[in-house]
């Protein structure tokens, strides 16, 4: 009987294609950068009658307090110069990295130069989507948090599946080798 060269070529082509499509699987983990320790603040400085302060540069001292009046100062920063135009100004404050600074209610106090602080202090509040983001702590989503069958291949980024994350019983040929295999019974090809 003559060997079928067409079948052998087809098998060799399929084997080469399979080997070309396989790629090493690497462990990757999303790199999540911490939120910057910066707070953007815009304000308008006016006289008691509501007219804006004259245009110019001012020395401003910002501080965060634990209460609307009295309380404990939790943080402060002086910024000089702050450009004021038509009474409005904008600054970026470096609140540093005190671990528990934003774990409680805070009020912002502003002082212009050596004048007494402006009253009343302004309560810091969240923006809408920060409240939703705050519901999910770092590393809080585990496989137990995800309903079976809800994640599809389209939800998985390339290179994120690793050998240790494959379901029990899943089979694949890895370019780096397969643990627990027997070359007599586990191989690519035919007998």
């Amino acid at each position: 009987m003559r060997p079928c060269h067409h079948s052998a070529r087809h098998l060799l082509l399929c084997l080469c294609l399979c080997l070309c499509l396989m790629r090493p699987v690497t462990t990757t983990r999303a790199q999540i950068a911490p939120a910057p320790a910066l707070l953007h603040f815009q304000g308008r400085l006016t006289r008691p009658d509501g007219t804006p302060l004259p245009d110019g540069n001012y020395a401003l001292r910002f501080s965060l307090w634990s209460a609307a009046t009295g309380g404990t100062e939790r943080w402060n920063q002086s910024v000089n110069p702050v450009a004021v135009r038509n009474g409005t100004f904008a600054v970026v404050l470096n609140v540093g990295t005190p671990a528990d600074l934003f774990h409680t209610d805070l009020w912002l106090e502003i002082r212009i130069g050596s004048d007494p602080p402006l009253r009343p202090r302004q309560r810091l509040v969240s923006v809408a989507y920060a409240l939703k983001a705050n519901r999910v702590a770092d590393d809080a989503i585990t496989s137990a948090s995800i309903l079976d069958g809800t994640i599809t291949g389209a939800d998985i980024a390339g290179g994120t599946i690793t050998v240790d994350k494959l379901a029990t019983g899943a089979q694949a040929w890895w370019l780096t080798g397969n643990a627990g295999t027997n070359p007599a019974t586990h191989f690519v090809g035919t007998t």
Side-chain angles (χ1 to χ4, degrees):
M1 181 175 215
R2 253 177 78 188
C4 178
H5 294 290
H6 179 69
S7 296
R9 252 185 274 152
H10 182 70
L11 180 62
L12 184 58
L13 178 63
C14 287
L15 181 59
C16 288
L17 182 60
C18 288
L19 290 174
C20 289
L21 292 177
M22 285 194 271
R23 60 177 200 217
V25 178
T26 57
T27 301
T28 60
R29 181 179 168 120
Q31 298 297 314
I32 301 172
L38 302 173
L39 178 69
H40 183 265
F41 184 78
Q42 291 178 298
R44 187 157 196 260
L45 300 173
T46 62
R47 294 188 175 97
D49 66 2
T51 59
L53 260 59
D55 289 356
N57 291 324
Y58 293 84
L60 300 180
R61 182 182 188 273
F62 300 87
S63 53
L64 294 176
W65 292 79
S66 62
T69 58
T72 304
E73 184 181 83
R74 305 286 311 273
W75 167 92
N76 71 69
Q77 179 181 353
S78 294
V79 182
N80 187 12
V82 174
V84 176
R85 301 292 176 259
N86 196 26
T88 61
F89 69 93
V91 292
V92 175
L93 303 170
N94 185 347
V95 293
T97 54
D100 61 348
L101 180 62
F102 292 101
H103 290 189
T104 185
D105 289 337
L106 294 171
W107 283 261
L108 177 66
E109 180 179 280
I110 301 173
R111 183 185 299 249
I112 303 171
S114 59
D115 293 346
L118 301 176
R119 295 286 182 229
R121 291 177 182 162
Q122 300 298 308
R123 187 173 191 183
L124 294 186
V125 295
S126 297
V127 295
Y129 284 101
L131 295 173
K132 182 174 178 109
N134 192 41
R135 293 181 46 190
V136 181
D138 291 343
D139 297 325
I141 298 176
T142 64
S143 59
S145 306
I146 301 170
L147 293 174
D148 289 342
T150 58
I151 296 181
T152 67
D155 299 320
I156 301 170
T160 58
I161 301 295
T162 61
V163 175
D164 63 316
K165 293 181 182 173
L166 283 176
T168 304
Q171 295 182 10
W173 289 100
W174 305 106
L175 293 178
T176 56
N178 289 64
T181 59
N182 177 346
T185 56
H186 302 106
F187 55 89
V188 176
T190 61
T191 56

